[in-house]
Amino acid sequence: MSIKIRKALDQDAPFLAQMILQSSRADKQFGIFDVIFGSKSDEKTLTNIEKLTTTTAKNYCHFSNFLIAEINGESVGSLCSYEPRIATKETFLESLKEIGCEANAEDFLEILDSCDFELNKRTLIFDFMEEIEGHMDVGILKSLMQKSLLTARLKGYRIAQTMVEIGSLETLLYYKKLGFKEVKQKECELYKEKFGRPGLVLLAFEF
């Protein structure tokens, strides 16, 4: 079974929205994008995330930050990598305003400010490493990460980081299998109140 890795295009927005929502919920009923958009249905949330991936402001969900894995022409997995010095909090807020969805921005910022880590701006951040159901254990995520790390090396990066929820044992284990090491944990009462998870784990990969 051959896995093809390619850069995402703007027409991939529906698939990326699916992967972003799936990743952000991480087996929870409610995730950060449910807070941001305050939607009453998954359909509406997905529509708003689609718009977010194609805004003029290149926020961290922008399609240009993604690689997509394909098997027999079908999109089966995604991985996002972005530079925090470019995809800033301000850029994300610009994108929300661009699509007319800034009403709940303060709730998002409150969670971000209380639960986020201080990141080196020269670090590459990985997010939304996901695959669709029915394609587990065929090397999709490994192929995506290997391609992303190779590209990062060529761009001169020496460290890549990611954040995983405390309690997301499967995702945490997978990143560790790929060579990431735990740097620190941050427990957050607000995060636990909103999502039922104690907080976040920061992981790093050094080249």
Side-chain angles (χ1 to χ4, degrees), residues 40-67:
K40 300 301 182 184
S41 69
D42 286 358
E43 183 180 3
K44 185 63 176 176
T45 303
L46 286 166
T47 297
N48 285 327
I49 297 174
E50 278 186 44
K51 293 176 182 177
L52 200 59
T53 66
T54 57
T55 55
T56 303
K58 291 190 176 181
N59 67 85
Y60 74 108
C61 299
H62 197 269
F63 75 87
S64 61
N65 295 325
F66 280 84
L67 290 179

Side-chain angles (χ1 to χ4, degrees), residues 162-200:
T162 190
M163 285 160 281
V164 177
E165 287 180 333
I166 297 172
S168 293
L169 299 180
E170 188 175 337
T171 304
L172 190 61
L173 180 61
Y174 203 88
Y175 269 113
K176 287 184 176 181
K177 282 183 178 179
L178 292 170
F180 284 76
K181 295 182 179 180
E182 187 172 328
V183 177
K184 64 176 72 172
Q185 291 191 15
K186 186 170 185 178
E187 295 191 4
C188 175
E189 283 301 318
L190 181 59
Y191 202 91
K192 186 175 183 179
E193 179 186 321
K194 292 283 187 181
F195 307 118
R197 299 278 170 86
L200 300 171

Side-chain angles (χ1 to χ4, degrees), residues 130-160:
E130 283 294 321
E131 57 192 345
I132 64 173
E133 291 184 14
H135 287 84
M136 308 298 181
D137 301 320
V138 294
I140 292 169
L141 301 183
K142 185 177 180 181
S143 296
L144 283 163
M145 185 58 74
Q146 286 177 336
K147 178 66 173 179
S148 291
L149 290 174
L150 176 60
T151 302
R153 282 193 194 96
L154 294 174
K155 288 182 176 180
Y157 284 98
R158 294 293 174 264
I159 184 168

Side-chain angles (χ1 to χ4, degrees), residues 5-143:
I5 306 296
R6 65 172 177 83
K7 290 183 177 181
L9 304 170
D10 57 355
Q11 56 260 43
D12 292 309
F15 175 74
L16 294 178
Q18 178 190 344
M19 293 294 94
I20 290 169
L21 185 59
Q22 181 176 306
S23 177
S24 66
R25 285 181 174 170
D27 297 322
K28 307 186 301 297
Q29 293 297 314
F30 190 78
I32 191 65
F33 289 95
D34 297 287
V35 172
I36 291 168
F37 295 120
S39 307
K40 300 301 182 184
S41 69
D42 286 358
E43 183 180 3
K44 185 63 176 176
T45 303
L46 286 166
T47 297
N48 285 327
I49 297 174
E50 278 186 44
K51 293 176 182 177
L52 200 59
T53 66
T54 57
T55 55
T56 303
K58 291 190 176 181
N59 67 85
Y60 74 108
C61 299
H62 197 269
F63 75 87
S64 61
N65 295 325
F66 280 84
L67 290 179
I68 287 179
E70 290 183 335
I71 295 177
N72 298 327
E74 178 190 5
S75 296
V76 293
S78 71
L79 179 60
C80 171
S81 61
Y82 65 92
E83 299 174 87
R85 66 187 179 87
I86 295 175
T88 61
K89 176 173 62 179
E90 290 74 23
T91 305
F92 189 76
L93 293 176
E94 284 177 31
S95 295
L96 290 178
K97 289 178 181 178
E98 188 175 327
I99 63 175
C101 292
E102 70 271 31
N104 297 317
E106 286 188 12
D107 292 337
F108 162 70
L109 290 175
E110 184 182 11
I111 295 169
L112 186 66
D113 290 341
S114 63
C115 305
D116 212 4
F117 294 96
E118 288 293 329
L119 298 174
N120 183 332
K121 297 301 183 183
R122 299 300 302 175
T123 300
L124 191 67
I125 304 295
F126 287 114
D127 206 345
F128 309 126
M129 182 173 69
E130 283 294 321
E131 57 192 345
I132 64 173
E133 291 184 14
H135 287 84
M136 308 298 181
D137 301 320
V138 294
I140 292 169
L141 301 183
K142 185 177 180 181
S143 296

